[in-house]
């Protein structure tokens, strides 16, 4: 039969962990999740910025060609230069 004295002795023997003490281990995965999320956001913003710059350059080049500011040969040459970068 389990008595109050037995439970008290068991609680004293197990230390503070019996009552919910100790290190909160969910903090470690949460930290790594947050770190990966921040890295993903930072590199995503940098990549999106460079994609946008190339797309804007192509749009400007197409507009200049449509207005007749540049010839077809110059348009193709500049477009191929943008595609290499």
């Amino acid at each position: 039969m389990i008595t109050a004295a037995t439970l008290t002795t068991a609680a004293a023997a197990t230390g503070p962990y019996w009552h919910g003490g100790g290190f909160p281990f969910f903090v470690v995965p949460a930290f790594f999740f947050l770190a990966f999320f921040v890295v993903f956001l930072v590199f995503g913003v940098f990549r999106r910025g460079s994609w946008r710059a190339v797309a804007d350059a192509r749009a400007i080049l197409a507009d200049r060609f449509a207005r007749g500011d540049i010839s077809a040969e110059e348009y193709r040459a500049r477009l191929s230069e943008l595609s290499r970068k």
Side-chain angles (χ1 to χ4, degrees):
M1 184 165 158
I2 299 176
T3 63
T6 307
L7 288 176
T8 305
T9 306
T14 57
Y17 305 109
W18 181 271
H19 301 286
F23 183 74
F25 286 102
F26 68 88
V27 172
V28 174
F31 171 76
F32 281 110
F33 176 75
L34 181 65
F36 285 131
F37 184 70
V38 167
V39 168
F40 176 75
L41 283 179
V42 167
F43 283 110
V45 167
F46 285 144
R47 281 187 142 180
R48 191 176 337 131
S50 66
W51 289 342
R52 186 178 302 137
V54 171
D56 288 345
R58 287 182 180 164
I60 292 170
L61 187 62
D63 287 342
R64 288 185 63 198
F65 179 65
R67 285 193 310 255
D69 293 343
I70 57 175
S71 66
E73 294 83 22
E74 188 176 0
Y75 172 74
R76 285 189 205 102
R78 291 184 183 201
L79 189 60
S80 68
E81 185 67 29
L82 284 174
S83 297
R84 288 191 323 184
K85 293 182 180 181

